[in-house]
Amino acid sequence: MDIRSAAITIWNNKAYIPTPARYVNEGPFTNLEPIYVVNLTLSELVPVVQKLLFSKHEILPNPTQQEIKFRRDLLPKATGAHSWKRLSKDGIAYDIVLTEKELTLEISELDKKGRWIFPLEKQLKFPPQTDLSILIQAMIYDNKKRQK
């Protein structure tokens, strides 16, 4: 099954959107550079998310345990949060996932340990041909609602 994803992290009223890649054998997604930094507007978000969602995702060899241990995460550094703990505490994460069957906006919340999780009950699901701007509007609305 072809799965495409775009991860969006909101930090200090900016959206950070890393280039997605997959590991061999349909493994999990990972983040690569460049990381796009855009304002929280439809006119800036939609083209970047569309580009990343519909471009071919790079396929990487499965990492060794040693590589996983020493891998440096890009988002905490790019945002200036410097750690996942601070980024998840003060930021918000969203994933947009596209399959042949649906287009999904996954909305984060914090678990008891302060880590992002994406509960099924917070997912917004649409037919795969849905205009991406509808999901982006829902994300912007959710972000504004949390800022109050």
Side-chain angles (χ1 to χ4, degrees):
M1 176 193 299
D2 186 28
I3 300 173
R4 297 178 180 273
S5 177
I8 303 159
T9 301
I10 309 296
W11 173 263
N12 287 337
N13 293 314
K14 293 283 187 186
Y16 293 80
I17 311 167
T19 302
R22 304 267 327 239
Y23 289 111
V24 174
N25 300 329
E26 299 293 318
F29 285 96
T30 189
N31 298 327
L32 299 178
E33 292 180 314
I35 295 176
Y36 298 88
V37 182
V38 297
N39 291 312
L40 298 176
T41 63
L42 281 175
S43 63
E44 290 193 36
L45 282 161
V46 171
V48 173
V49 172
Q50 192 159 8
K51 174 185 173 182
L52 294 176
L53 203 57
F54 292 104
S55 63
K56 186 168 175 54
H57 291 13
E58 186 174 341
I59 305 295
L60 304 173
N62 290 327
T64 65
Q65 291 297 324
Q66 190 74 358
E67 290 169 332
I68 291 171
K69 184 177 180 181
F70 291 104
R71 181 174 168 247
R72 296 288 175 239
D73 292 311
L74 301 173
L75 278 172
K77 182 179 177 187
T79 59
H82 303 293
S83 72
W84 279 109
K85 183 176 182 177
R86 182 162 180 230
L87 185 56
S88 60
K89 177 180 178 271
D90 297 329
I92 303 170
Y94 300 91
D95 281 332
I96 295 179
V97 181
L98 175 65
T99 67
E100 295 93 15
K101 296 180 180 180
E102 62 193 15
L103 182 61
T104 305
L105 175 63
E106 298 178 347
I107 302 170
S108 69
E109 67 180 37
L110 295 179
D111 68 7
K112 292 178 183 174
K113 294 183 178 181
R115 300 173 298 195
W116 283 325
I117 57 171
F118 296 88
L120 292 175
E121 62 272 8
K122 291 188 88 173
Q123 289 183 357
L124 302 176
K125 295 182 180 283
F126 300 90
Q129 68 277 11
T130 302
D131 186 331
L132 201 51
S133 65
I134 293 171
L135 280 79
I136 302 292
Q137 284 176 323
M139 184 192 76
I140 292 169
Y141 174 77
D142 179 75
N143 179 63
K144 284 181 181 176
K145 192 172 64 173
R146 293 185 195 207
Q147 300 304 321
K148 294 181 179 184

